Amino acid sequence: MKIELLKGDITKVAVDAIVNAANSSLLGGGGVDGAIHRRGGKAILEACQKIRNTQGKCKIGEAVITTAGNLDANYVIHTVGPIYNGGEKERKEKDLLANCYTNALHLAVKHSVKTIAFPNISTGTYRFPKDKAAKIAIATVQNFENINEIEKVLFVCFDEENYNLYKEILKS
Ligand code: AR6
């Protein structure tokens, strides 16, 4: 499995599956979620609504898979990151963030996805400290049990700070 780093917009990358940093409603929002729904078109929202109607909301740390609509990908894997509060809750929040990556990868393997792109889940609206989130994201992907089933994991950083953090961690 290769890990690659890219600075830019995840809606523009050509991979088998793009991961979305969604919220529990699965019905869209701002940030990367808004960008994916805008560019992917209404097929994604319709698929999310179907999932809502059958299984209800998506829990934090869990993931669901839909069509990628008009995006240059076969699937969007929607996962819900934790809102960061820190303090006593930090341990749990870190575990939930790791679960996002693991559960997205499990779904990817199940759907024979070979190339997958992740945004920096929870580091925007959900305020997870970027350095901590980057370490968790990279370590979780590297330690994923079925990682040999995936050919390429692309971390797509939208902002300079995340990009530099990932670059440093991946170098060492
Ligand atoms: N491509 C890649 N990364 C992006 C893009 C993009 N087009 N746009 C933003 N980012 P956020 P969260 C980065 O807030 O913190 C939504 O409203 C951004 O720089 O999108 O998990 C959902 O509906 C940041 O580093 O997601 C939820 O309600 C990262 O994506 C809530 O926000 C995550 O920022 C989820 O919050």
Side-chain angles (χ1 to χ4, degrees):
M1 189 269 304
K2 270 196 307 194
I3 290 186
E4 286 179 10
L5 181 61
L6 185 81
K7 188 168 175 298
D9 181 347
I10 202 167
T11 65
K12 296 188 177 156
V13 301
V15 282
D16 296 339
I18 287 172
V19 177
N20 181 19
N23 59 59
S24 293
S25 80
L26 294 176
L27 301 180
V32 68
D33 194 9
I36 286 172
H37 279 279
R38 255 193 320 275
R39 211 177 168 92
K42 68 176 190 320
I44 299 178
L45 184 61
E46 283 167 5
C48 286
Q49 276 161 339
K50 271 196 189 140
I51 292 170
R52 274 293 306 260
N53 292 342
T54 51
Q55 70 166 57
K57 290 186 177 187
C58 183
K59 293 199 182 107
I60 299 168
E62 295 189 356
V64 300
I65 191 164
T66 67
T67 171
N70 302 326
L71 296 176
D72 219 356
N74 297 328
Y75 302 104
V76 173
I77 296 176
H78 309 258
T79 186
V80 183
I83 297 174
Y84 184 85
N85 289 297
E88 277 174 19
K89 300 205 173 104
E90 188 179 66
R91 186 66 263 160
K92 173 101 181 136
E93 289 160 357
K94 284 181 164 177
D95 289 346
L96 288 169
L97 183 60
N99 291 349
C100 290
Y101 288 89
T102 306
N103 286 326
L105 288 169
H106 275 306
L107 265 185
V109 169
K110 198 170 153 194
H111 291 264
S112 304
V113 163
K114 295 294 172 198
T115 57
I116 181 167
F118 282 98
N120 310 131
I121 302 165
S122 280
T123 66
T125 307
Y126 285 175
R127 313 185 298 267
F128 214 101
K130 291 178 180 172
D131 54 341
K132 292 178 180 175
K135 282 184 194 145
I136 292 165
I138 292 168
T140 306
V141 165
Q142 286 174 334
N143 295 325
F144 178 62
E145 54 185 338
N146 294 325
I147 201 62
N148 290 335
E149 309 265 341
I150 306 272
E151 284 166 13
K152 184 170 78 176
V153 174
L154 187 59
F155 287 112
V156 182
C157 301
F158 200 58
D159 59 90
E160 192 79 28
E161 190 186 347
N162 263 316
Y163 180 74
N164 289 331
L165 283 164
Y166 274 75
K167 205 161 69 179
E168 276 309 303
I169 300 168
L170 288 170
K171 214 163 63 182
S172 56

